[in-house]
Amino acid sequence: MTTTDWQPTACILCECNCGIVVQLEGRKIARIRGDKAHPASQGYTCNKALRLDHYQNNRARLTSPMRRRPDGSYEEIDWDTAIVEIAEGFKRIRDTYGGDKIFYYGGGGQGNHLGGAYSSAFLKALGSRYRSNALAQEKTGEAWVDARLYGGHTRGEFEHAEVSVFIGKNPWMSQSFPRARVILNEIAKDPNRSMIVLDPVLTDTAKMADFHLRVQPGTDAWCLAALAAVLVQENLCDDAFLAEHVHGADTVRDALRDVPVAEYAQHCGVDEELIRAAARRIGTADSVSVFEDLGVQQAPNSTLCSYLNKLLWILTGNFARKGTQHLHSSLAPLLGTATGRTPVTGAPIIAGLVPANVIPEEILTDHPDRFRAMIVESGNPAHSLADSTACREAFRSLELMVVVDVAMTETARLAHYVLPAASQFEKPEATFFNFEFPHNGFQLRRPLLDPLPGTLPEPEIWARLVRALAVVQDEDLRPLREAAQQGRQAYTEAFLGAVASNPTVAKLLPYVLYETLGPTLPDGMAGAAALWGLAQKVFMTYPEAVRRAGHADGNALFDAIMDNPSGVTFTAHNYADDFALISHSDHKIALEIPEMLDDLRGLAATPAKLTTPDMPIVLSVGERRAFTANDIFRDPSWRKRDADGALRVSVEDAQQLGLVDGGRARITTAAGTAEATVEVNETMLAGHASLPNGFGLDYIDDDGRTVIPGVAPNSLTSTTWRDAYAGTPWHKHVPARIEPCRADANSYA
């Protein structure tokens, strides 16, 4: 049956989560277009969103809980059996070894974060402490730097910036800020604005840039140090801003005065005058915004690069003004505050996350504090983490592993139990990637469809598991259930009283909200109950900004979220508020980080190349392309080109290595080997090759055959190639050997 009504929802393929409206034909998402009512995207969307039915209706969907048999095969079981056995299994692990031996990975993909909120209640009830997710492969080095500089996360206001700087970032393909392509085009067409791109690849964004600093792979730190040094050595810093708002600036400037710009330019392969011209453009602009991403965050010196690129806008005072860099409000923090060390390897825990690269080592050991059990929610670490072979071995060794997902993923096939979740379009859902300033928005998406029979939304899955633990009694919840029937104010008073008087209720807040407030919400929306608590917290944290956005208090904000399916603006800041958002007691930026200054000085002792005569090529894995997306797109038929995920190589390397366009090549790294189709491409530097993200996932085609298009990137990466501070992987700098497959080598000859 065709539904002519356009229903608002969102794209779930990148952190932007652009608003879209859709029409349904039965359970098929038949038509998709941008939602003009969405406060951030305003009707914008890229080509990838138009393929979302490939996620919703792919034949890999699970429709029953699955239990692994002793022989490794799986059998369907009913939900009651699954919940009882899983709860008993985790209680056994807790009672035998301690709840801290239960490890949690995930918490939501690009667009489903609500489930992760509810899983926290189950984890706390068990005493589980350690967790990780995809952000531990990307953002923890930056988070380590941010915590010391100002205690929060920043985002550039590119829509109004005179100069936009993209470091290891190709927003034309990876988006990451609202209306990315529209804004990039506006910048490129405006003679009064400039774009600076630091990237070894001639990306789509680099082609639009006024300054393309085409560094040799892995030398980003030298280029960034040279840029910052020019700002200091040519007196382009904002002395008044530094004196009023920054501590430690003099120490940092002293270190940068010693940087030999010409020598560093030569090392990174960028013309010295181009570096100086780019630095002067930054230093003389009225407004500058900067975005760093995986190109540097998954490469050597990644944490140092995060520090150095932030010097570019701090030294020039590009903060708390229109078009500059901003701290921002959050509806819910994506990163935690927990620190410490992992129990086996002693790796640093940053922003509450165990480094992804140490996870196999935390399991594959006889250490008494090793992880014994694992929960994976909306994630596929057996495919997405470095060294897939080590990950699979580790996961197979666990005493209990439970996966919550919509499909039988590579990780799910290693689990003892797999619980089928409703899709992101079959339940209330949201993303907490809310990074904008001065106006920050949030969208609660309504379910477009009922859950597929046999599946459950994650909030209900976690509620059933908490119930099975019997840690909360019905008498604890009854007063809150009664108050919820009386209205928001009565519930607010009862909730605050219960939290203050009952430690168990205080520890399991998402579950309590789901069980008590959830039943009073509109049909199918019980999973939104946790947002009530977040709305109260947001109002207490940013009361004036919430009122300025039109919400009198936390209850009014929650009601606005519930009543506006295309999203709401939840905070409206003034530019001066940026300084109040600095978490240090004096609300000043602490620029001096001794470890980073030591590393800056250490760049003078140029290290040997990581490549070797046997592995002479730098392989970058996980490149974003027009027809790549995250792992939720298991059906490869959405791709209209690059169906095999080609290995891109330079013209020079193709000639030297005997590779032919469209031919096949064998890729060898220290971790493994793979074969790929070759694309000879002028965008690549000599000695640099790339493979895309999103490939190497198996799928059953129309003929019932299992197909695995392209290369699974992490069959070639290593857990030992990682940042010294954050443990983030060097996916963008993998030493490799590339050679033609035999048939192609013969044809070339």
Side-chain angles (χ1 to χ4, degrees):
M1 179 179 177
T2 300
T3 302
T4 58
D5 293 338
W6 289 93
Q7 301 183 57
T9 183
C11 178
I12 55 176
L13 296 176
C14 87
E15 68 183 81
C16 284
N17 299 112
C18 297
I20 57 175
V21 291
V22 305
Q23 285 184 333
L24 302 177
E25 291 180 358
R27 295 190 65 88
K28 177 180 174 62
I29 301 175
R31 282 168 287 280
I32 301 171
R33 68 186 187 198
D35 184 359
K36 295 180 180 179
H38 190 274
S41 57
Q42 302 171 27
Y44 172 90
T45 187
C46 75
N47 66 297
K48 298 180 185 183
L50 306 181
R51 309 289 187 265
L52 282 168
D53 193 63
H54 288 268
Y55 158 76
Q56 172 60 30
N57 288 303
N58 84 82
R59 56 173 58 93
R61 288 287 304 274
L62 288 169
T63 57
S64 172
M66 307 294 286
R67 178 175 60 196
R68 193 169 79 197
R69 298 187 181 102
D71 66 359
S73 64
Y74 284 86
E75 59 184 341
E76 295 185 359
I77 58 176
D78 63 81
W79 273 102
D80 289 343
T81 300
I83 294 297
V84 169
E85 291 184 2
I86 290 169
E88 289 299 320
F90 281 118
K91 283 195 288 186
R92 178 184 60 79
I93 298 291
R94 177 196 63 190
D95 296 343
T96 305
Y97 307 111
D100 60 341
K101 309 307 183 297
I102 300 169
F103 179 60
Y104 175 82
Y105 185 93
Q110 294 285 20
N112 69 316
H113 292 160
L114 278 183
Y118 292 100
S119 64
S120 65
F122 182 65
L123 296 170
K124 287 180 180 178
L126 290 170
S128 173
R129 293 173 46 202
Y130 297 104
R131 63 180 296 155
S132 192
N133 59 39
L135 294 175
Q137 289 209 98
E138 306 167 0
K139 306 301 181 186
T140 44
E142 182 183 13
W144 185 88
V145 172
D146 284 343
R148 283 152 181 78
L149 290 175
Y150 32 69
H153 174 263
T154 61
R155 175 57 61 88
E157 195 181 359
F158 300 98
E159 183 176 7
H160 301 298
E162 180 183 333
V163 174
S164 295
V165 185
F166 300 110
I167 300 169
K169 174 69 177 173
N170 179 15
W172 187 266
M173 283 300 173
S174 60
Q175 312 289 326
S176 297
F177 56 87
R179 303 169 57 247
R181 292 186 177 182
V182 172
I183 291 172
L184 291 174
N185 278 324
E186 289 174 351
I187 295 170
K189 293 176 182 177
D190 190 339
N192 297 315
R193 303 172 71 182
S194 294
M195 190 187 308
I196 300 171
V197 172
L198 193 156
D199 200 307
V201 180
L202 184 58
T203 64
D204 300 271
T205 308
K207 291 175 183 177
M208 306 173 75
D210 301 276
F211 305 85
H212 180 198
L213 309 182
R214 199 174 186 186
V215 295
Q216 290 294 317
T219 64
D220 313 87
W222 285 266
C223 188
L224 288 166
L227 284 168
V230 172
L231 295 175
V232 171
Q233 294 171 16
E234 297 192 8
N235 299 315
L236 296 169
C237 299
D238 187 333
D239 294 331
F241 175 85
L242 295 174
E244 185 175 358
H245 298 296
V246 177
H247 286 305
D250 288 343
T251 303
V252 173
R253 286 190 284 192
D254 286 345
L256 290 169
R257 286 191 186 95
D258 294 333
V259 168
V261 174
E263 180 182 324
Y264 282 19
Q266 184 176 9
H267 181 68
C268 70
V270 180
D271 182 76
E272 178 188 352
E273 286 308 310
L274 181 60
I275 290 177
R276 290 188 180 276
R280 290 165 188 153
R281 186 69 181 96
I282 292 170
T284 57
D286 287 336
S287 58
V288 177
S289 287
V290 181
F291 202 128
E292 66 168 273
D293 212 352
L294 305 191
V296 291
Q297 291 174 338
Q298 294 187 335
N301 300 301
S302 58
T303 299
L304 176 61
C305 286
S306 290
Y307 178 67
L308 292 173
N309 87 67
K310 294 173 194 302
L311 296 185
L312 302 180
W313 58 265
I314 296 174
L315 289 172
T316 54
N318 279 288
F319 180 68
R321 292 182 289 104
K322 187 175 183 178
T324 65
Q325 210 76 5
H326 304 289
L327 291 159
H328 55 80
S329 59
S330 298
L331 193 83
L334 281 172
L335 296 171
T337 58
T339 58
R341 297 277 174 176
T342 59
V344 174
T345 66
I349 294 171
I350 299 172
L353 299 178
V354 169
N357 274 34
V358 307
I359 290 173
E361 297 173 68
E362 297 288 334
I363 298 171
L364 291 172
T365 173
D366 59 2
H367 194 287
D369 291 330
R370 67 186 180 275
F371 297 141
R372 307 275 184 155
M374 187 170 175
I375 300 169
V376 178
E377 181 182 11
S378 298
N380 191 7
H383 180 269
S384 61
L385 299 189
D387 195 343
S388 301
T389 300
C391 287
R392 289 194 293 268
E393 181 184 358
F395 299 160
R396 287 193 190 98
S397 75
L398 292 164
E399 295 182 32
L400 178 61
M401 185 176 186
V402 175
V403 168
V404 181
D405 213 313
V406 298
M408 200 69 170
T409 65
E410 287 70 18
T411 304
R413 285 193 290 274
L414 304 170
H416 298 91
Y417 296 88
V418 186
L419 300 180
S423 84
Q424 294 196 42
F425 300 116
E426 299 168 353
K427 61 195 174 193
E429 200 42 278
T431 175
F432 299 134
F433 292 126
N434 317 116
F435 300 147
E436 304 314 310
F437 186 98
H439 300 96
N440 210 352
F442 176 79
Q443 181 185 19
L444 171 64
R445 311 194 305 270
R446 310 299 189 268
L448 299 176
L449 300 156
D450 292 331
L452 197 65
T455 70
L456 290 175
E458 289 95 335
E460 178 62 21
I461 293 173
W462 295 116
R464 293 187 184 192
L465 285 167
V466 172
R467 290 174 205 146
L469 295 178
V471 292
V472 180
Q473 305 306 313
D474 189 64
E475 54 264 30
D476 295 323
L477 301 179
R478 188 179 301 113
L480 288 170
R481 289 193 176 110
E482 294 171 353
Q485 297 292 335
Q486 299 169 25
R488 295 277 189 267
Q489 189 56 42
Y491 186 78
T492 302
E493 294 172 4
F495 183 84
L496 294 175
V499 169
S501 61
N502 190 324
T504 301
V505 168
K507 185 168 70 172
L508 306 179
L509 292 182
Y511 168 75
V512 171
L513 288 167
Y514 181 77
E515 293 284 73
T516 59
L517 181 63
T520 71
L521 300 180
D523 187 40
M525 296 297 291
L531 295 176
W532 179 87
L534 294 176
Q536 309 305 317
K537 186 175 181 180
V538 167
F539 179 73
M540 289 187 286
T541 307
Y542 320 103
E544 292 305 316
V546 172
R547 290 193 188 100
R548 205 176 289 122
H551 317 295
D553 55 23
N555 282 329
L557 174 57
F558 178 68
D559 288 340
I561 289 171
M562 294 293 295
D563 294 341
N564 290 275
S566 290
V568 298
T569 297
F570 67 90
T571 52
H573 282 281
N574 294 319
Y575 285 106
D577 293 348
D578 261 328
F579 295 107
L581 294 175
I582 298 174
S583 67
H584 302 319
S585 59
D586 59 3
H587 299 295
K588 292 187 177 183
I589 297 171
L591 198 59
E592 181 181 353
I593 302 179
E595 300 95 325
M596 294 291 94
L597 294 180
D598 287 344
D599 282 4
L600 170 62
R601 298 182 185 101
L603 292 177
T606 305
K609 288 185 177 181
L610 297 172
T611 53
T612 65
D614 187 50
M615 302 281 185
I617 303 293
V618 173
L619 174 67
S620 175
V621 303
E623 182 186 18
R624 270 58 174 170
R625 298 180 185 171
F627 285 91
T628 67
N630 56 38
D631 287 2
I632 68 170
F633 262 19
R634 300 190 67 85
D635 176 358
S637 65
W638 77 280
R639 298 188 178 98
K640 302 305 178 186
R641 58 178 184 269
D642 196 20
D644 294 328
L647 171 72
R648 287 182 174 169
V649 299
S650 69
V651 174
E652 297 88 343
D653 287 333
Q655 293 173 344
Q656 182 176 350
L657 300 173
L659 303 172
V660 295
D661 192 72
R664 299 284 290 176
R666 180 175 295 105
I667 311 156
T668 303
T669 71
T673 62
E675 292 186 6
T677 300
V678 173
E679 178 186 320
V680 181
N681 195 301
E682 63 181 8
T683 66
M684 305 302 297
L685 282 172
H688 190 207
S690 73
L691 284 168
N693 71 311
F695 282 84
L697 300 167
D698 62 51
Y699 187 74
I700 306 298
D701 68 11
D702 292 337
D703 297 324
R705 298 172 300 184
T706 299
V707 296
I708 308 177
V711 175
N714 287 305
S715 64
L716 299 170
T717 61
S718 170
T719 57
T720 59
W721 302 323
R722 61 194 189 218
D723 181 72
Y725 293 93
T728 43
W730 292 352
H731 289 340
K732 309 304 180 189
H733 201 96
V734 182
R737 180 173 65 253
I738 299 174
E739 51 202 343
C741 293
R742 185 174 301 276
D744 292 321
N746 292 339
S747 64
Y748 184 83

